[in-house]
Amino acid sequence: MSTTSRCLWLLEKCSNMKQLKQVHGQAITCGLEQNHYALSRLLAFCSHPHHHGSLSHGLKILNHTQQPSNCLYNTMIKACLLRDELHMSFQLYKQMLQNGMVPDNYTLPYVLKACAYSESFRLGEAVHVICVKLGFLFDRFVGNSLMVMYSLFGKMWDARHVFDEMPRRCVVSWTVLISGYGKIGDVEVARLAFDAAPVKDRGVWGAMISGYVQNNCFKEGLEMFRLMQLTNILPDEAIFVSILGACAHLGALEIGIWVHKRVDEIKLKCGIRLGTALMDMYCKCGKLDVAEKVFDEMSERDTICWNVMISGLAIHGEGIHALKLFSEMEMTRVQPDDVTFIAVFTACSYSGMEHEGLRLFNKMCNKYNINPKTEHYICIIDLLARAGLFSEAKDIIQRMPNSCSPKEAAVAWRSLLSACQSYKHIELAQMAADRLMELENDSGVYVLMSNLYSSTDDLDRLQRTRKLMKTRGLDKVPGCSSIEIGGVVDEFVAGEKMNHRIEEIHLVLEGLSRQLD
């Protein structure tokens, strides 16, 4: 084996930067300093995010190359993109142009991705102009990248214009188009594009299913999944995650269980995303034991995964269990985020642990340096007010940031007002009601105050409140409930007798009443 061949062979065998620098030294002594193949292998190693490569070393090599090729520039532009060094990607692209080089159908897609990730829409448009000048709109790779860039900015008119100008489209083009319309909420146009797609692979089906689920069209998403089952296409992780999300929102436990079995049947690896989606579905359908089993079997967990399990326990009244799990999360050194603490405060609220909630609120601010959002204030106010700690609740509500919207502030004051009604705290309730009336014109405030005055025999204020409601034309919103039996949802509204089986219902209620007597 010649010295040159041996040097190139050694380049392929490097496993760390120390070895690479040694081989690089040999390459220079062998006269391969400006050999483009050797340089491409050096840059490929430096740029690879999983090889512990050195981006700065790769850039030094590129800058010392006398006549760098498009391939070398493309390698480093892509490397900067993968390392989130978007500014450097643009700098290298600008350097290419200044050197009189012509970007190719690999350069342009990388730069377009950098434009999208850095939210540089104007620069993306400028790159589009170059694509047109160089005739690259005929290249599907470039055309698809342009569509992705425009759809990420929500500019679907522009994305559609690129799509229509492409002489040859592939399934990726249709997938990007459908997905883009789904992201801006236009599921009807997305469905028209889906129906028009000449070939429907897993990506096209997944884009349409995801579009429905993202826009709360859960039944349509499940129906689309059923249609997909009639084909020979196997769902992937992303499709299962979308379907489990639909099951979670609809409470469709049976379909969710079927999906879980299907995942096991096709031996699909249950990663973090899929495992979290399964947990979320089981939690929202009330199957905490199964959710915990999925959680325990997961080989790795991220913050979202812990949040879902803690939140699931919290909303089902398992406050102590939820806080224990939070302690385990801290011990595993997974960093909690703002969502974690909303789940933790909910656990404290539903389990009557107001002092623990306050302690964790201070911990969130002081230990984890998380600035409280409106949701955190609302949770703590609700927690303290439910426990009758009105002084503390009032103090927290006055600490809410001015940046919160009137709607968010109204939720906090309503929590306080509702608790005041339970404890018959008239003066603070009146203050909360006055603040609520400033924020919104809602009949619920008057109803709560009316009920409070009625329970305390304050007839004078009761009459004034009811008179004020009548003058302003405000009515109490009737209560409403629904029940699903055999796949059919029946809705009942207080005071109405529109249900087609109302007579049967009254007979059953009368029978139950007689048995109780």
Side-chain angles (χ1 to χ4, degrees), residues 30-231:
C30 293
L32 296 174
E33 185 178 5
Q34 298 298 324
N35 182 287
H36 278 207
Y37 178 76
L39 289 170
S40 68
R41 303 320 304 150
L42 285 165
L43 293 183
F45 186 94
C46 291
S47 64
H48 203 292
H50 302 302
H51 282 174
H52 307 292
S54 170
L55 193 62
S56 59
H57 189 74
L59 290 169
K60 285 179 184 177
I61 293 173
L62 180 66
N63 290 331
H64 283 86
T65 305
Q66 292 176 2
Q67 292 181 323
S69 64
N70 276 30
C71 178
L72 298 181
Y73 266 106
N74 291 344
T75 299
M76 292 313 299
I77 291 172
K78 180 184 178 182
C80 292
L81 187 65
L82 292 173
R83 302 287 184 91
D84 207 27
E85 296 286 345
L86 304 178
H87 179 70
M88 183 55 66
S89 292
F90 295 135
Q91 286 294 103
L92 291 172
Y93 174 65
K94 183 180 177 181
Q95 193 175 308
M96 276 187 75
L97 298 178
Q98 288 173 341
N99 290 341
M101 300 176 69
V102 179
D104 58 24
N105 60 340
Y106 287 97
T107 315
L108 295 168
Y110 294 146
V111 177
L112 286 167
K113 282 184 181 178
C115 293
Y117 296 159
S118 63
E119 300 181 358
S120 302
F121 179 66
R122 294 302 174 196
L123 185 57
E125 285 187 315
V127 177
H128 187 177
V129 171
I130 291 179
C131 294
V132 174
K133 285 183 177 178
L134 297 176
F136 279 120
L137 282 187
F138 291 95
D139 185 277
R140 284 181 292 184
F141 193 32
V142 175
N144 291 339
S145 298
L146 275 167
M147 288 177 61
V148 169
M149 188 268 292
Y150 281 123
S151 64
L152 285 174
F153 285 113
K155 305 285 186 180
M156 285 311 297
W157 187 91
D158 297 292
R160 185 65 195 236
H161 183 69
V162 173
F163 178 84
D164 291 337
E165 284 194 336
M166 292 170 66
R168 292 185 304 277
R169 304 162 190 136
C170 61
V171 286
V172 175
S173 313
W174 289 95
T175 302
V176 173
L177 186 70
I178 296 164
S179 180
Y181 280 122
K183 284 175 183 173
I184 65 170
D186 202 339
V187 290
E188 292 182 1
V189 177
R191 183 57 190 266
L192 289 173
F194 173 85
D195 292 337
V199 177
K200 297 177 177 64
D201 70 346
R202 187 160 53 193
V204 172
W205 281 98
M208 193 65 246
I209 291 170
S210 176
Y212 275 134
V213 175
Q214 286 174 6
N215 290 283
N216 300 327
C217 302
F218 305 118
K219 290 182 179 179
E220 291 83 352
L222 290 179
E223 180 59 30
M224 183 62 64
F225 182 66
R226 290 191 188 99
L227 291 173
M228 182 181 164
Q229 297 307 299
L230 301 176
T231 70

Side-chain angles (χ1 to χ4, degrees), residues 9 37 49 134 171 173 184 186 201 218 244 271 296 326-327 339 381 416 433 460 490 501:
W9 179 80
Y37 178 76
L134 297 176
V171 286
S173 313
I184 65 170
D186 202 339
D201 70 346
F218 305 118
L244 287 167
D296 292 338
F326 173 67
S327 297
V339 178
I381 291 162
L416 185 61
D460 185 44
D490 281 295
R501 302 182 68 180

Side-chain angles (χ1 to χ4, degrees), residues 43 180 236 271 276 290 400 427 430 507:
L43 293 183
D236 59 7
T276 303
V290 187
M400 286 181 67
E427 298 308 319
Q430 188 62 60
L507 286 173

Side-chain angles (χ1 to χ4, degrees), residues 261-272:
K261 289 180 179 176
R262 185 68 175 140
V263 168
D264 292 338
E265 282 175 8
I266 64 175
K267 293 180 170 42
L268 185 65
K269 184 182 176 183
C270 193
I272 291 179

